[in-house]
Amino acid sequence: MDDVARFTGRQTPAITKAFDRISNDIRLYVINEMKYMHGNDEFRREIIDQIVERAEGSFLWVNLVLKEIMQCHSYEEIKVAFDEIPSGMDSLYRRMETSIKNLTRVSDKDLSRTIPIWATYSRRPLSTDELLRALQPQFSAILDLKFTISKVCGHFVVIDSDNQIGLVHQTARDYLTKSSDLPFSISPHDAHEDLFNKTISVFLDRQIRSIAAQKPIIPFYVYSATSWAYHLSLSPASSDACLTLLTRFLEGSHVLSWIHMLSILGQLKVLVFTAQGLTTYVQKRRKINASKMPLRHGLSDFHLLELWTIDLLKLAGNFGGHLLQEPTAIYKYIPQLSPRNSALYQQFGSSKVSPVSVTGLSDSDWDDCLTRVSVGNEHQALMAICSGRYLAVFSSAGIVHMWNSLTFEKLCIFSHEEYLFTMCFSHKGDMLASYGFLTTRVWSITSRHQLFSIPNLTGIRPLCMTFTKNDAAILMGSDLRNIREISMKNVDNGWQECEISISAEETPLKGTFPNAPTSMAINGDATEIAIAYRGSPLTVWALTKPKCISKCKRRLEYDKNPGNAWTGVNRILWHPNNGELLGIYTDGAVFKWHPLEESHHEIATTSRASPSELDCSHNGMVFATSDVNGAVRIYNYEHFALIYQLSSEDMVTGFCFSPDISRFYDLRGSYCNAWEPNVLIRMSNMDEAISEVDTEVVSTTMSYLASEVWAESRSPITAVSARWQGRLMFAGSDEGLVELHDTIDRKKLVVGESAAEMGIDHVVWDEVGRHIAYAELGGRIFIHRVVQLDGKSKREFGWSCEIVMSFKASVENGGISQILFSPDSSCLLVASLNSAQLWSLESKSIRTAYKSPTPGVEHKWVIHTSDKDNIFVFSAKTVTALGWTDLKERGWWKIRLPASDGAKKKLMEHRQSLSMQHSSSGNPMSPLEPLEVENVIDQIIATPNSPYILICLSQRSSQNNQNHGSSFHLIEPNSLKPTTVETSLSIDTTFSIPNSIAAMIEKPLSFLGEDLLVYLDKSFWVCSYRIINKTNKAWPGTEHEHEHEYRDDAATARDGISSAA
């Protein structure tokens, strides 16, 4: 019987033809491989015929045989080798296994186990360079890795064309792990334990910190940094060696070097995966240790692991973006900014050699809030959605902000510049669609550009929108009770109405009024749509055919006609898996209902807790509601059991779950908060195979032990001032509370509190630190004298505040803009937009007043650092010197700024973009008006020790007063020397802060020393910028040129203003 019959037991023409074709392919392959083989043609033909005959259709067997005979040196060796090679893969594998058994050198035997383990169990294929590094220092430098592999691995391991290590075939993996009779084990558990030990051990090197900073990072270190947690998860949890090594790694500074390396690589998502793996590992290990007596490892080891499990999650959420910008922050600042009970602070934050000290942190532990991101203090966060990798938040500025949902790195913004009704991600997560007043836009998240802009029909408000047809179309349900669709291939056709009518009710119930819908929801496969009304029952329609499937009937005990009982519905959404609908009735009750089975279940709520929004997790295990009172409640879906409640005074304006259910996001004010309660983390790690009984037990337990968290809503600090060269901080809040803080004793004293809870706009110290003054929003000003107490106990605050005077300032045009003590503390200057008053502390009355010669122009007042007789008034174009005693003009200068077209260019690009968008939407736009940009002064900073005055300007367009960028300029105070009133001079700015630095500055804070400018950046880090004077030459504009060098010093602390407060 031929080969076909031997394999199939029968002969058919089709199978015979297929085998003949394979045999011919094998013959061609062998001929090509053996054309350079030594020997005569007849001998080669004989070997080729025998190989094809014995191949049995297996290219893999042929490949391995060729490797054997191509290493032979004579005809006799080839014949002997060929005769010894068995037919069939199992027989061949046994022969390859025998060659490994016959190795005699100890190093060869060790290599024969180590290399196949890396080839079989590595997380991804290693390159030859990575494998060579992995084999050190156990094995000395290998001269020819390819030769070594062929010699000691019996052809089980190969090097492919990309120089990557792998097994010769999947069947080889199966043979080695299940059927082999090797003198050593390469079982999965033992192998992964070896690989875990190797990958984590590289971080125990004393030189690891310097290695982590090398560029480029050694490839095997990259593999180790991203893979040790993977190998730990597959290692035996009972291994004491693994636990010992893991504890050693987490106890020392090695863990910081690992985080440093991940930050450089941009792989902070590994922190999240590692934390999840550590959680599972600790759970398994605790179960094992529960049966061990005595314990080999103390409970402190598990406590350490649990602390780091939390820290790694919080680290990625709270500091992810900052670590990507400044990886060395993990050594310098982040431990000091972590809660006192965290592993980060306990191990590294209390070090006396730390470059920064942080006081005022109120929380000892990480709370459920993982992090918060802002859309800008002047805007409101209105809508949030989340895909696997991205978090999108829409703000009142008409902008969609995009973050990485794991590390919270700010990725980009999409400027829709309209109010959005809804937005959604594509199912693949690579596109975002946003529906506004005028246009619908589709954005590419990967390229971060707009793909399409489609004009919307007037008078239509979308109630739901989703991608469909494998992301080739977008489906939308509107308040006109119709369905429209956009084809991504024919976007020029715009929104097209589908041939599905859902406007006519087939069998309307008595007493119903199907007015405009309140909510719509399209199911996951876009085959059904649910429509909710206030005056008619919830209805489900088929999208494939215009057919009403079911109406939701609610049977209340007190209803006199239960046959037609129904209740209006405010919000609805589909469960992702079981075909049920989740909704909120108009009376606030939350319900679930199956349109086909008519099953119905609901939760009654109080009027105070009546929910306004709801969302369901992507796996359907939990759902959540939010209300206008600031509460978020999470329920187990199956049993409608409350498992978590978050309460806050801040109203919730948006809500969504993360795809992995471990966290949820809510919008409050200008912030999007990411919450990660333990109950969700536990549910995300649940075994999918949990039994029905176990599910019921868990749900009941969670309902009975539902956790409740109060998110404290702290009044924002609106003004803060530090005593010069002292320990005291003076701060006022948005609710009118004024406090004096001792930064050393960490105690505080309430100085005053507004009776009408009016916010504190301004606080200021005098120059010697004896007086403080603050101004309420309504214009009332208070001045206190600060006195240090003698003989105070440790429990007492060391200072007292005595009221000196209070008065209501009569100001015009927008209220008080600035308050300032005179150098001798005898007077307080109260400035507004167009005028100023000088109040005497002795007479408690106005000493003199000042009227601005340029009404309506913003001014800032500053004390001259060396001329205490005069006060200087800055605008964007001029500086005026006034005498302190009478506020009479002593001198006047024009400010010459360096030429800069940056703001004008930015504004022009913005307007051109608007023009293109209107054109693409079919809406004509008037021709561009003449562009006008003017500088407005925002802030002046001057300190006694610095030779500079910092002028902070914003560039605003006269068309809409919108801020289009800021610039920062420095001048030398000594150039401001008053002469006579009649004399006017011009001064040049010494230099301008470079645009690359200016773009990062959110709020300049002060000068430290002579040349260190400290500022708050866009991510709320306190940063410094050093100005180095290279020469002692004169300043620009005089006889000589002066040179400067600019250097950006790294970020030093997070949330500087709120931490100080």
Side-chain angles (χ1 to χ4, degrees):
M1 186 179 293
D2 62 13
D3 290 342
V4 175
R6 187 164 62 250
F7 271 96
T8 64
R10 57 194 174 90
Q11 288 183 314
T12 65
I15 296 178
T16 301
K17 185 176 180 181
F19 267 86
D20 289 342
R21 186 167 59 249
I22 293 174
S23 296
N24 290 334
D25 291 342
I26 290 176
R27 179 177 294 277
L28 291 174
Y29 171 72
V30 175
I31 291 173
N32 183 67
E33 290 294 314
M34 294 185 63
K35 63 183 178 181
Y36 298 112
M37 177 182 174
H38 296 291
N40 57 49
D41 293 341
E42 183 180 352
F43 179 75
R44 278 200 297 271
R45 283 195 297 271
E46 179 184 348
I47 296 298
I48 289 171
D49 291 339
Q50 294 186 47
I51 290 176
V52 173
E53 181 181 353
R54 296 177 57 185
E56 299 178 356
S58 173
F59 272 92
L60 176 61
W61 182 90
V62 172
N63 180 267
L64 295 173
V65 168
L66 287 174
K67 288 183 178 180
E68 285 279 346
I69 64 175
M70 294 295 283
Q71 294 180 1
C72 297
H73 303 287
S74 64
Y75 292 150
E76 289 72 17
E77 286 184 18
I78 292 175
K79 289 183 177 180
V80 170
F82 193 80
D83 291 340
E84 291 178 351
I85 295 174
S87 301
M89 290 308 304
D90 285 346
S91 300
L92 183 58
Y93 284 152
R94 282 193 291 272
R95 184 176 183 276
M96 292 161 58
E97 181 182 75
T98 301
S99 69
I100 296 176
K101 290 181 181 179
N102 293 335
L103 294 173
T104 56
R105 296 177 59 183
V106 175
S107 60
D108 288 348
K109 291 181 178 180
D110 293 339
L111 278 170
S112 69
R113 178 181 183 272
T114 303
I115 294 176
I117 284 178
W118 280 109
T120 306
Y121 295 107
S122 60
R123 184 179 61 86
R124 59 164 176 77
L126 296 185
S127 67
T128 52
D129 289 341
E130 288 174 322
L131 181 59
L132 284 171
R133 177 71 65 165
L135 296 176
Q136 298 175 2
Q138 182 181 357
F139 304 98
S140 57
I142 297 175
L143 300 178
D144 188 340
L145 182 62
K146 188 172 184 179
F147 172 77
T148 301
I149 288 176
S150 64
K151 177 183 176 183
V152 303
C153 297
H155 300 302
F156 281 108
V157 179
V158 296
I159 300 176
D160 65 16
S161 57
D162 295 325
N163 270 341
Q164 292 183 333
I165 310 299
L167 291 177
V168 67
H169 194 263
Q170 176 62 33
T171 56
R173 178 191 180 97
D174 296 337
Y175 181 84
L176 288 173
T177 56
K178 299 175 182 178
S179 307
S180 71
D181 190 27
L182 291 171
F184 48 78
S185 170
I186 57 171
S187 66
H189 279 70
D190 293 339
H192 280 292
E193 180 176 357
D194 289 349
L195 300 190
F196 165 72
N197 291 342
K198 180 60 183 180
T199 51
I200 202 170
S201 293
V202 302
F203 293 99
L204 302 179
D205 190 327
R206 292 183 179 181
Q207 304 298 320
I208 186 58
R209 181 166 177 174
S210 60
I211 293 173
Q214 293 178 1
K215 293 181 181 180
I217 297 175
I218 300 170
F220 181 67
Y221 283 86
V222 176
Y223 177 86
S224 298
T226 56
S227 305
W228 68 258
Y230 164 78
H231 293 301
L232 175 66
S233 67
L234 297 173
S235 300
S238 58
S239 171
D240 290 329
C242 285
L243 180 57
T244 300
L245 207 57
L246 181 61
T247 303
R248 182 184 168 196
F249 169 73
L250 295 175
E251 282 178 338
S253 61
H254 327 288
V255 64
L256 299 185
S257 299
W258 169 62
I259 297 170
H260 179 202
M261 188 176 293
L262 290 177
S263 303
I264 294 174
L265 295 171
Q267 292 285 336
L268 292 183
K269 61 184 179 181
V270 175
L271 297 177
V272 179
F273 300 145
T274 301
Q276 295 170 346
L278 284 178
T279 299
T280 304
Y281 176 79
V282 171
Q283 291 172 350
K284 292 179 179 178
R285 184 70 197 204
R286 283 193 178 277
K287 290 181 180 179
I288 293 171
N289 274 29
S291 60
K292 285 186 178 182
M293 291 298 291
L295 297 179
R296 293 187 180 181
H297 285 267
L299 296 177
S300 60
D301 291 342
F302 299 108
H303 180 63
L304 175 69
L305 265 60
E306 288 169 337
L307 285 179
W308 274 107
T309 296
I310 299 171
D311 281 13
L312 293 179
L313 279 175
K314 304 299 184 180
L315 187 64
N318 282 282
F319 301 106
H322 309 303
L323 280 170
L324 293 174
Q325 295 176 12
E326 182 56 46
T328 57
I330 191 61
Y331 305 113
K332 301 176 182 178
Y333 321 118
I334 290 177
Q336 290 76 21
L337 292 165
S338 301
R340 296 301 182 259
N341 292 337
S342 66
L344 269 168
Y345 180 82
Q346 291 181 11
Q347 294 177 219
F348 312 108
S350 57
S351 173
K352 295 182 179 179
V353 298
S354 172
V356 64
S357 174
V358 181
T359 60
L361 295 179
S362 56
D363 296 326
S364 298
D365 298 286
W366 300 106
D367 56 21
D368 287 349
C369 185
L370 179 63
T371 191
R372 64 192 316 205
V373 291
S374 173
V375 297
N377 294 332
E378 65 276 16
H379 302 299
Q380 182 89 6
L382 300 176
M383 189 189 315
I385 57 174
C386 186
S387 72
R389 294 175 292 170
Y390 306 109
L391 171 66
V393 179
F394 171 68
S395 76
S396 56
I399 293 174
V400 179
H401 301 256
M402 299 290 300
W403 285 274
N404 183 303
S405 61
L406 280 178
T407 64
F408 295 96
E409 174 192 2
K410 186 70 172 285
L411 300 176
C412 62
I413 61 171
F414 296 135
S415 184
H416 198 121
E417 298 181 339
E418 305 171 28
Y419 175 82
L420 294 187
F421 291 106
T422 186
M423 59 182 180
C424 64
F425 282 108
S426 62
H427 296 292
K428 296 176 183 177
D430 58 345
M431 291 185 291
L432 176 77
S434 54
Y435 191 110
F437 267 120
L438 300 175
T439 59
T440 298
R441 302 186 186 182
V442 180
W443 314 84
S444 169
I445 302 176
T446 51
S447 67
R448 302 177 185 178
H449 289 94
Q450 178 179 299
L451 299 177
F452 312 110
S453 179
I454 303 104
N456 294 334
L457 299 176
T458 58
I460 292 181
R461 182 168 65 93
L463 297 180
C464 64
M465 185 171 69
T466 184
F467 280 84
T468 185
K469 297 180 180 178
N470 197 26
D471 293 342
I474 303 175
L475 208 60
M476 179 267 290
S478 77
D479 59 343
L480 299 182
R481 287 185 286 169
N482 57 25
I483 308 297
R484 295 182 179 273
E485 184 182 71
I486 286 179
S487 171
M488 305 292 280
K489 297 180 179 179
N490 299 294
V491 293
D492 292 338
N493 295 334
W495 285 106
Q496 298 294 310
E497 187 168 2
C498 300
E499 297 179 358
I500 302 170
S501 175
I502 57 174
S503 59
E505 298 284 351
E506 293 181 352
T507 54
L509 298 177
K510 183 179 179 180
T512 61
F513 304 95
N515 49 4
T518 57
S519 181
M520 284 183 172
I522 300 173
N523 67 350
D525 56 3
T527 57
E528 297 175 359
I529 185 170
I531 310 173
Y533 308 89
R534 288 190 179 90
S536 185
L538 168 64
T539 307
V540 176
W541 288 76
L543 287 177
T544 52
K545 296 179 180 179
K547 177 183 179 183
C548 178
I549 296 176
S550 182
K551 299 178 186 293
C552 179
K553 298 180 181 180
R554 186 187 189 197
R555 297 173 178 83
L556 301 174
E557 295 180 1
Y558 55 82
D559 200 297
K560 296 181 180 179
N561 187 8
N564 285 333
W566 59 272
T567 303
V569 175
N570 287 333
R571 294 287 186 272
I572 50 170
L573 55 86
W574 288 92
H575 188 276
N577 303 321
N578 62 12
E580 290 184 333
L581 278 161
L582 187 67
I584 304 174
Y585 285 122
T586 52
D587 61 7
V590 181
F591 69 94
K592 61 179 178 180
W593 168 64
H594 200 294
L596 299 179
E597 299 175 2
E598 293 293 337
S599 58
H600 184 275
H601 189 70
E602 68 179 66
I603 304 171
T605 57
T606 63
S607 58
R608 175 173 172 77
S610 180
S612 56
E613 300 291 341
L614 82 164
D615 191 32
C616 188
S617 65
H618 291 233
N619 61 4
M621 292 181 65
V622 298
F623 72 93
T625 66
S626 63
D627 60 45
V628 295
N629 298 316
V632 174
R633 296 175 178 86
I634 299 180
Y635 299 85
N636 172 277
Y637 183 87
E638 183 179 0
H639 302 282
F640 262 38
L642 179 67
I643 60 175
Y644 181 81
Q645 178 171 321
L646 170 68
S647 302
S648 175
E649 295 178 354
D650 299 323
M651 184 177 69
V652 180
T653 56
F655 181 90
C656 67
F657 277 104
S658 67
D660 65 354
I661 175 190
S662 65
R663 67 180 65 146
F664 66 89
Y665 308 93
D666 67 15
L667 306 181
R668 301 172 191 263
S670 61
Y671 290 96
C672 173
N673 304 285
W675 302 90
E676 197 165 65
N678 291 333
V679 64
L680 289 187
I681 296 176
R682 287 196 298 269
M683 294 192 75
S684 66
N685 291 329
M686 272 187 182
D687 185 2
E688 294 182 358
I690 191 168
S691 66
E692 188 77 12
V693 176
D694 289 334
T695 303
E696 183 174 355
V697 172
V698 171
S699 299
T700 303
T701 303
M702 288 183 177
S703 175
Y704 184 73
L705 298 176
S707 56
E708 183 170 357
V709 175
W710 173 259
E712 183 180 357
S713 180
R714 298 172 183 168
S715 177
I717 299 299
T718 53
V720 63
S721 179
R723 184 181 185 182
W724 182 248
Q725 294 182 342
R727 60 194 285 181
L728 299 180
M729 298 286 293
F730 181 35
S733 75
D734 188 48
E735 295 180 351
L737 183 66
V738 182
E739 295 177 319
L740 191 63
H741 294 256
D742 186 335
T743 59
I744 296 179
D745 290 344
R746 300 184 186 181
K747 297 177 182 178
K748 61 185 178 180
L749 173 70
V750 176
V751 177
E753 192 168 2
S754 172
E757 294 188 354
M758 302 189 76
I760 305 301
D761 278 353
H762 307 280
V763 296
V764 64
W765 284 90
D766 68 358
E767 191 169 304
V768 294
R770 294 177 183 172
H771 294 86
I772 55 177
Y774 62 91
E776 292 180 351
L777 181 62
R780 191 155 192 86
I781 296 175
F782 298 82
I783 302 176
H784 291 257
R785 181 181 295 109
V786 180
V787 180
Q788 188 169 7
L789 300 177
D790 296 328
K792 57 101 179 179
S793 66
K794 292 183 178 180
R795 295 182 179 180
E796 295 175 340
F797 192 76
W799 283 264
S800 67
C801 291
E802 304 169 356
I803 185 72
V804 175
M805 61 183 292
S806 67
F807 57 92
K808 179 71 178 292
S810 56
V811 295
E812 306 171 355
N813 298 328
I816 298 172
S817 61
Q818 196 173 354
I819 58 176
L820 200 62
F821 278 105
S822 62
D824 60 1
S825 304
S826 64
C827 301
L828 182 74
L829 179 80
V830 182
S832 63
L833 179 63
N834 297 328
S835 63
Q837 301 169 350
L838 193 63
W839 286 77
S840 170
L841 273 64
E842 183 179 357
S843 65
K844 297 179 174 57
S845 61
I846 298 176
R847 175 185 290 183
T848 186
Y850 170 80
K851 277 284 188 180
S852 171
T854 54
V857 176
E858 289 282 353
H859 293 83
K860 296 299 177 184
W861 299 65
V862 65
I863 298 176
H864 199 297
T865 54
S866 58
D867 182 1
K868 300 300 178 68
D869 295 330
N870 297 300
I871 185 169
F872 291 82
V873 188
F874 281 78
S875 73
K877 298 179 179 179
T878 64
V879 182
T880 305
L882 305 176
W884 261 116
T885 56
D886 54 9
L887 297 184
K888 297 295 183 180
E889 187 173 315
R890 306 289 177 82
W892 183 82
W893 299 264
K894 289 182 179 179
I895 301 176
R896 288 201 297 258
L897 297 175
S900 174
D901 295 328
K904 185 177 292 187
K905 180 181 178 181
K906 179 179 178 182
L907 184 56
M908 180 61 76
E909 290 175 348
H910 171 72
R911 290 174 58 76
Q912 289 175 348
S913 175
L914 279 180
S915 177
M916 292 174 62
Q917 291 165 5
H918 278 261
S919 175
S920 65
S921 64
N923 298 319
M925 185 179 181
S926 60
L928 293 177
E929 301 174 6
L931 182 66
E932 295 183 12
V933 178
E934 61 179 1
N935 288 318
V936 177
I937 191 163
D938 293 328
Q939 188 180 1
I940 292 287
I941 293 179
T943 60
N945 289 344
S946 176
Y948 308 108
I949 292 178
L950 179 71
I951 306 174
C952 310
L953 304 177
S954 59
Q955 288 80 45
R956 298 182 182 272
S957 59
S958 57
Q959 287 86 348
N960 55 13
N961 198 38
Q962 185 176 353
N963 186 356
H964 291 280
S966 299
S967 61
F968 306 91
H969 313 275
L970 293 100
I971 65 172
E972 184 195 23
N974 290 333
S975 63
L976 303 174
K977 294 182 179 179
T979 55
T980 64
V981 175
E982 291 78 14
T983 303
S984 66
L985 303 173
S986 296
I987 58 171
D988 293 302
T989 55
T990 301
F991 64 88
S992 300
I993 302 296
N995 291 335
S996 59
I997 303 299
M1000 298 189 295
I1001 298 178
E1002 176 71 18
K1003 175 75 173 177
L1005 298 179
S1006 182
F1007 286 105
L1008 287 182
E1010 293 187 356
D1011 55 6
L1012 196 65
L1013 174 64
V1014 181
Y1015 63 91
L1016 200 66
D1017 79 350
K1018 302 292 186 182
S1019 300
F1020 303 107
W1021 279 73
V1022 176
C1023 305
S1024 61
Y1025 176 78
R1026 187 175 300 280
I1027 308 143
I1028 299 178
N1029 184 353
K1030 281 185 173 181
T1031 72
N1032 293 319
K1033 297 179 182 178
W1035 296 100
T1038 58
E1039 297 179 0
H1040 306 281
E1041 287 297 321
H1042 184 78
E1043 298 179 0
H1044 293 273
E1045 179 182 298
Y1046 318 117
R1047 180 164 57 89
D1048 185 21
D1049 286 4
T1052 56
R1054 181 177 181 268
D1055 284 340
I1057 288 180
S1058 60
S1059 296

